[in-house]
C-alpha cells in the first residue's frame, strides 16, 4: 500500500541512496531514507499502525523514534518533542511528536527511513502523490 508523508506541508529535499556531496563533489553520501524539509513547526505522524519499539537521542539530530509495522520498521529522527512511549500501540497517522525550527533557523528537516527488517527501502516509492 501507499501512505502519506509523516508531516503536513513538507517537501522531500534529500533523496534515498547514494549521491555526491553538494559542495565536496568527490565525496559520496549515502542516505538510508529521505529528508523532508519544513518551513514551520509541524506535528509528526506515524505512517501506519504499529508499536513504538525505541525512543532515543541522536547527537546533533535531537530525538528519534522507531515504530514496528509487522516486518517493516519506520524511523523518524530530528524530532523536538515525542508524545508516545515505548511499547505503545499506535493507529495509522497518529501524532507521535513534533519537529520545530531551531532558533535562527528558517527550516527544519525530518529524516525518515523505512526498513524491511534489516534492508532499507526507498520511502519515496511508498508515498502517495499529494
Amino acid at each position: 500500500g501507499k501512505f502519506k508523508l509523516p508531516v503536513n506541508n513538507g517537501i522531500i529535499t534529500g533523496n534515498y541512496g547514494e549521491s555526491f556531496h553538494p559542495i565536496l563533489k568527490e565525496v559520496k553520501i549515502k542516505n538510508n531514507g529521505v529528508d523532508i524539509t519544513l518551513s514551520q513547526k509541524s506535528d509528526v505522524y506515524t505512517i501506519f499502525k504499529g508499536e513504538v519499539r525505541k525512543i532515543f537521542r541522536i547527537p546533533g539530530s535531537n530525538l528519534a523514534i522507531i515504530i514496528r509495522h509487522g516486518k517493516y520498521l519506520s524511523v523518524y529522527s530530528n524530532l523536538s518533542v515525542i508524545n508516545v512511549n515505548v511499547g505503545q500501540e499506535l493507529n495509522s497517522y497518529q501524532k507521535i511528536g513534533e519537529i520545530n525550527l531551531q532558533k535562527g533557523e528558517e527550516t527544519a528537516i525530518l529524516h525518515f527511513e523505512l526498513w524491511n527488517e534489516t534492508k532499507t527501502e526507498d520511502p519515496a516509492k511508498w508515498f502517495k502523490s499529494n
Side-chain angles (χ1 to χ4, degrees):
K2 298 271 189 173
F3 50 79
K4 297 186 285 189
L5 286 176
V7 291
N8 294 320
N9 304 316
I11 298 169
I12 295 176
T13 53
N15 294 314
Y16 173 84
E18 283 190 359
S19 62
F20 285 99
H21 190 279
I23 298 168
L24 307 170
K25 302 293 184 196
E26 66 280 358
V27 175
K28 270 195 173 180
I29 301 170
K30 182 176 181 187
N31 189 345
N32 283 333
V34 293
D35 299 314
I36 304 168
T37 299
L38 301 129
S39 60
Q40 60 193 32
K41 175 182 172 181
S42 179
D43 291 338
V44 179
Y45 304 91
T46 181
I47 53 157
F48 197 71
K49 66 182 179 178
E51 179 189 344
V52 178
R53 286 298 176 96
K54 189 167 185 170
I55 296 172
F56 55 103
R57 182 172 295 281
I58 299 173
S61 259
N62 293 321
L63 299 168
I65 183 169
I66 298 174
I67 300 172
R68 178 166 285 281
H69 319 272
K71 69 177 187 169
Y72 287 92
L73 299 160
S74 58
V75 182
Y76 313 74
S77 60
N78 201 26
L79 282 75
S80 48
V81 174
I82 290 183
N83 302 108
V84 294
N85 299 304
V86 173
Q88 185 174 341
E89 294 288 335
L90 304 173
N91 295 315
S92 294
Y93 305 110
Q94 183 174 333
K95 180 179 174 181
I96 59 171
E98 298 172 9
I99 186 164
N100 210 342
L101 277 61
Q102 300 296 319
K103 189 170 186 150
E105 297 284 322
E106 293 181 13
T107 59
I109 297 175
L110 174 71
H111 180 72
F112 175 79
E113 297 181 9
L114 185 63
W115 292 73
N116 183 343
E117 293 298 348
T118 60
K119 184 179 180 298
T120 62
E121 299 258 342
D122 181 354
K125 292 181 179 176
W126 291 82
F127 291 135
K128 290 179 183 174
S129 300
N130 286 348

